[in-house]
């Protein structure tokens, strides 16, 4: 399933995060400038309207499906926006079709080299497929332990409803342990990383070591009032930053 928003000339593929879906973008779709942009929000296999679509649940598969969607829509060139796990997938799209990607934007993006975990962290994340309490703890942790319990519960319910346990579990090693840094290192594409100041894992320090080191034409935007889910926490500012970058 793909949700198309807007009808503008700048085309954007939007790749969601581990806890997301085509409908898991908070208020961002409502804030797209429809005169300037056309966004395609797609579901991965095992998510949303594609919950029953079988797959290998890999970063490469997401990229292939995203490029197939671009072909179906007749988009020869486009920008790519990816959140969290989708940030890795967005970079995989760049690696697979560098001549088609106009601009690359990551929102708390997983680096192309994956994410290192200690044993305790891996236990928390790997247990999240079958344990809703782990999902809640992860969302709370990555937003700085500062947001309402009601919102955390809403996010967990949405995650459970929008993905299968099998797909959710399989995508963890896909985004955490996939490394294709060598394929994107030095790419001249204009690249933006947007991170929240309250994200302890994929924040400013992580981006300086990865995103800014990988892309010579990269810049970093830190949102002071956001954690890992800027599309929920500070959606208007996020939309503004993205549109300024995509329009430059």
């Amino acid at each position: 399933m793909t949700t198309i928003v807007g009808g503008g000339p700048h085309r954007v593929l939007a790749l969601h995060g581990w806890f997301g879906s085509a409908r898991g973008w908070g208020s961002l779709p409502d804030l797209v400038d429809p005169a300037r942009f056309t966004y395609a929000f797609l579901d991965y296999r095992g998510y949303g309207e594609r919950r029953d679509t079988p797959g290998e649940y890999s970063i490469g598969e997401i990229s292939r499906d995203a490029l197939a969607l671009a072909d179906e829509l007749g988009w020869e060139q486009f920008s790519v926006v990816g959140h969290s796990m989708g940030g890795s997938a967005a970079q995989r799209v760049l690696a697979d079709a560098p001549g088609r990607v106009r601009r690359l934007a990551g929102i708390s993006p997983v680096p192309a080299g994956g994410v290192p975990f200690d044993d305790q962290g891996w236990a928390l994340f790997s247990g999240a497929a079958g344990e809703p309490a782990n999902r809640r703890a992860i969302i709370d942790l990555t937003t700085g332990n500062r947001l309402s319990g009601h919102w955390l519960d809403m996010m967990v319910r949405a995650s459970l409803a929008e993905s299968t346990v099998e797909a959710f579990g399989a995508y963890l090693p896909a985004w955490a342990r996939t490394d294709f840094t060598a394929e994107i290192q030095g790419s001249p594409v204009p690249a933006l990383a947007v991170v929240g100041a309250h994200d302890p894992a994929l924040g400013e320090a992580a981006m300086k070591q990865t995103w800014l080191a990988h892309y010579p034409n990269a810049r970093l935007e830190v949102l002071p009032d956001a954690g890992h889910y800027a599309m929920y926490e500070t959606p208007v500012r996020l939309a503004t930053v993205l549109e300024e970058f995509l329009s430059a």
Side-chain angles (χ1 to χ4, degrees), residues 34-56:
R36 290 194 288 159
F37 300 97
T38 302
Y39 271 69
F41 297 90
L42 66 152
D43 280 316
Y44 307 152
R45 298 178 190 221
Y47 278 73
E49 296 298 322
R50 301 180 74 206
R51 280 174 54 96
D52 297 327
T53 302
E56 64 187 44

Side-chain angles (χ1 to χ4, degrees), residues 5-12 32-39 75:
V5 177
H10 193 137
R11 295 154 170 175
V12 183
V32 168
D33 182 342
R36 290 194 288 159
F37 300 97
T38 302
Y39 271 69
W75 293 5

Side-chain angles (χ1 to χ4, degrees), residues 5-154:
V5 177
H10 193 137
R11 295 154 170 175
V12 183
L13 289 174
L15 307 181
H16 64 76
W18 192 37
F19 282 85
S21 69
R23 293 185 292 274
W25 286 87
S27 300
L28 184 63
D30 298 327
L31 299 168
V32 168
D33 182 342
R36 290 194 288 159
F37 300 97
T38 302
Y39 271 69
F41 297 90
L42 66 152
D43 280 316
Y44 307 152
R45 298 178 190 221
Y47 278 73
E49 296 298 322
R50 301 180 74 206
R51 280 174 54 96
D52 297 327
T53 302
E56 64 187 44
Y57 310 127
S58 69
I59 298 300
E61 182 178 75
I62 295 172
S63 174
R64 293 190 295 272
D65 285 352
L67 288 167
L69 173 62
D71 292 342
E72 181 183 323
L73 294 172
W75 293 5
E76 179 56 35
Q77 286 198 308
F78 45 82
S79 294
V80 191
V81 173
H83 172 242
S84 193
M85 174 175 79
S88 175
Q91 293 174 87
R92 186 68 253 176
V93 171
L94 173 67
D96 291 341
R100 300 181 68 177
V101 178
R102 294 175 58 180
R103 287 177 172 259
L104 174 70
I107 305 164
S108 301
V110 169
V115 176
F117 280 89
D118 60 22
D119 290 344
Q120 182 179 3
W122 188 255
L124 175 65
F125 276 69
S126 62
E131 181 49 69
N134 285 41
R135 300 193 192 205
R136 191 183 194 276
I138 290 166
I139 299 167
D140 194 19
L141 172 68
T142 58
T143 52
N145 304 112
R146 51 186 254 287
L147 301 178
S148 81
H150 176 66
W151 179 77
L152 296 175
D153 292 339
M154 287 176 57

